[in-house]
Amino acid sequence: MRNIHRIRRILRTRKNHPHRGHTHPPTSKALAALAAGVLALSLTACGGDDDGGDGDTGNDGGSEATVQLPKLDGQKLEVAAVFTGPELDNFQKVLDEFEKRTGASVTFVPTGNNTSTFLGTKIEGGKPPDVAFLPQVGVLHQFAEKGWVKPLGSEAQAQLDKNFSDGWKDLGAYEGKQYGVYAKAANKSLVWYNTAAFEAAGITEEPKTWAEFIQTAQTLSDAGSPAVSIGGADGWTLTDWFENVYLSQAGPEKYDQLAKHEIKWTDPSVKDALTTLAELWGKDDLIAGGASGALQTEYPKSITQTFGGETPAGMVFEGDFVAVTINGDTDAKIGTDAKVFPFPAVGDDSPVVTGGDAAVALKDGKGAQALLTFLASTDAAEIWAAQGGFLSPNKEMDEGSYKDDVTREIAKALLAAGDDFRFDMSDQAPAAFGGTQGVGEWKDLQDFLKSPDDVAGAQKQLETDAAKAYGNG
């Protein structure tokens, strides 16, 4: 813990930079390695669930409120997001507390994976929800440009200024106006593993490099376990694979350039990353169900088949939010049956890729702004954190609210990075390329998983789709 606090002090002395549009990347390789190293050390020292294992710790609405909300008796609000299953159940606890404090009635509307298409249809039809969670920065910018989202009111802005660093505020802004509250964050550079599968294969060390990761997968396979579970039916998981490999191998400057399509997907750096991915994706014996099986496996199943069933897989890559499915849909206990290590270093350092969901108002009115104010508060963050499988970039919330030690340490490492992080690349892209099921990058990487020997063909298709979506080909 001393190391984390020391890093925080170091980072606070550094000048803050906006996340996008800078000439020199704010994240040095040394800082990325430092953050990843602290995460690895912290998680190794973690145990299982603490006393909050039942999700009832932290702010459950019974403690003193830190934010004042208006009375909204009789008002009906709609909130739209991609959340489903246990993730939705956890978020509902936040909405329940908002209803209790304001008297409003809140209805949740699922968007499905094509959030921008769903919301665009609603908006153009004159029936938008009051508040929506946007999982892509690119979509927030597109909506703001069209005038579809409303600027934050003064109360919500006050909570945002109090509780969030400049980097997270910048992600929710467009052309000098603040629109979004990043109430939910993600560390998308994690590999979760089944401790029983590791023990059965005689694996005693967590892999730190890509070469060690591939060797670990081979050892698991040789011992009779499906090595790596991949939720390839959901194309967004494949973009996360690419981004982590690319950031570690090509570096942050190239990452920023590709994210803005300042370099083409036919660039040699993309070839290198795809070639590296093919070292795993091209070996059916290392993938649960092979490539064809992975392409039929949705994200939740990729987790349940790692921590359940007769022949569980050894590893699954995805963010901290994997914990939601582990807690809700398996009998595995985080910290005991399920452990986690940082995404392996492909280049000099392990990558640090983040994601998040920005809450925005799609309607004018006191109700929508009140909900954004609440979502920007420590009260809402602590209620949500107590449920598990959730990270908040809210720097003022009580870290003791997190349900388990593993999530708490992941959250501390995220905060320790300050504003020095890289946001999910596909989420920065126009939705037509980086955020729509069945087209663009999602589809192109699914095709590459199917034919990982055709690196040049994948690059060509990615560039064609990117140029069309960005309009700068």
Side-chain angles (χ1 to χ4, degrees):
M1 295 304 100
R2 287 182 188 170
N3 285 338
I4 286 177
H5 294 311
R6 179 172 61 83
I7 294 166
R8 278 197 188 134
R9 289 196 295 272
I10 293 170
L11 290 172
R12 283 174 184 149
T13 66
R14 294 172 56 83
K15 181 180 178 181
N16 287 333
H17 296 269
H19 175 67
R20 292 165 59 81
H22 47 72
T23 303
H24 301 288
T27 304
S28 69
K29 289 187 176 182
L31 279 171
L34 194 58
V38 169
L39 178 60
L41 288 171
S42 299
L43 296 182
T44 301
C46 287
D49 287 1
D50 56 17
D51 292 337
D54 60 1
D56 291 330
T57 60
N59 188 343
D60 61 359
S63 57
E64 185 177 352
T66 65
V67 59
Q68 297 300 313
L69 300 174
K71 288 299 180 183
L72 302 170
D73 294 325
Q75 289 198 29
K76 295 182 179 180
L77 302 176
E78 278 192 350
V79 179
V82 72
F83 312 145
T84 60
E87 189 175 27
L88 174 55
D89 294 340
N90 294 346
F91 176 56
Q92 189 61 52
K93 298 287 193 347
V94 179
L95 296 182
D96 290 346
E97 180 64 16
F98 178 78
E99 289 180 326
K100 177 181 174 183
R101 294 192 190 185
T102 64
S105 175
V106 185
T107 301
F108 180 84
V109 180
T111 65
N113 280 333
N114 293 341
T115 303
S116 62
T117 302
F118 175 88
L119 293 174
T121 301
K122 287 283 189 181
I123 293 166
E124 290 175 339
K127 296 182 178 180
D130 296 88
V131 171
F133 280 80
L134 305 181
Q136 289 100 18
V137 177
V139 173
L140 189 152
H141 291 178
Q142 287 176 312
F143 280 22
E145 191 173 14
K146 292 179 179 180
W148 286 355
V149 288
K150 312 300 180 184
L152 254 59
S154 58
E155 292 84 1
Q157 186 69 55
Q159 288 296 313
L160 196 69
D161 291 340
K162 174 185 175 184
N163 298 325
F164 292 78
S165 69
D166 288 342
W168 288 100
K169 289 194 291 184
D170 290 342
L171 286 169
Y174 181 71
E175 293 189 346
K177 289 186 178 181
Q178 191 74 45
Y179 294 98
V181 174
Y182 269 88
K184 188 175 188 292
N187 180 328
K188 305 186 86 171
S189 298
L190 301 172
V191 179
W192 298 79
Y193 67 96
N194 185 315
T195 57
F198 268 48
E199 289 169 6
I203 300 168
T204 58
E205 296 289 334
E206 297 171 349
K208 295 180 176 59
T209 67
W210 181 258
E212 291 174 357
F213 177 74
I214 296 297
Q215 182 56 56
T216 298
Q218 189 64 61
T219 301
L220 285 163
S221 179
D222 293 344
S225 290
V228 182
S229 179
I230 299 176
D234 290 318
W236 61 268
T237 66
L238 304 184
T239 70
D240 290 348
W241 274 101
F242 173 82
E243 289 156 7
N244 277 274
V245 169
Y246 189 83
L247 177 58
S248 181
Q249 190 171 50
E253 186 171 353
K254 282 278 192 181
Y255 186 95
D256 292 340
Q257 291 172 345
L258 189 60
K260 291 179 282 190
H261 202 225
E262 293 176 350
I263 59 174
K264 295 185 176 183
W265 285 79
T266 49
D267 189 85
S269 61
V270 177
K271 176 183 178 181
D272 292 342
L274 292 175
T275 300
T276 297
L277 273 177
E279 294 175 8
L280 174 65
W281 291 6
K283 295 182 179 179
D284 270 5
D285 61 318
L286 301 186
I287 301 173
S292 62
L295 287 166
Q296 299 175 58
T297 300
E298 295 180 342
Y299 159 73
K301 184 180 176 183
S302 71
I303 301 164
T304 57
Q305 71 182 15
T306 305
F307 298 103
E310 294 182 3
T311 56
M315 299 182 285
V316 60
F317 153 71
E318 253 314 333
D320 57 276
F321 43 85
V322 164
V324 174
T325 305
I326 294 175
N327 287 332
D329 295 337
T330 80
D331 294 327
K333 189 173 182 181
I334 293 174
T336 305
D337 308 308
K339 291 188 177 181
V340 64
F341 57 84
F343 194 94
V346 184
D348 293 337
D349 305 304
S350 288
V352 181
V353 177
T354 65
D357 296 273
V360 299
L362 300 181
K363 282 185 181 179
D364 290 315
K366 183 185 286 187
Q369 290 295 332
L371 182 52
L372 292 180
T373 299
F374 186 55
L375 291 170
S377 73
T378 57
D379 293 2
E382 289 166 7
I383 293 169
W384 210 341
Q387 312 313 314
F390 165 85
L391 287 188
S392 174
N394 188 318
K395 59 186 175 62
E396 299 300 323
M397 69 166 282
D398 179 7
E399 293 171 348
S401 300
Y402 283 107
K403 181 177 179 179
D404 57 76
D405 290 339
V406 171
T407 305
R408 186 175 299 113
E409 297 308 319
I410 294 172
K412 287 180 179 179
L414 179 71
L415 290 177
D419 290 336
D420 292 318
F421 55 80
R422 281 299 182 278
F423 201 81
D424 185 296
M425 185 189 296
S426 63
D427 287 351
Q428 297 181 54
F433 180 67
T436 304
Q437 186 80 9
V439 299
E441 189 182 359
W442 292 21
K443 175 65 162 57
D444 297 340
L445 289 178
Q446 286 174 325
D447 289 343
F448 181 64
L449 175 56
K450 191 183 303 181
S451 303
D453 56 336
D454 188 12
V455 172
Q459 284 187 271
K460 182 179 179 181
Q461 189 59 52
L462 283 160
E463 176 53 29
T464 297
D465 291 338
K468 182 178 178 181
Y470 283 85
N472 62 353

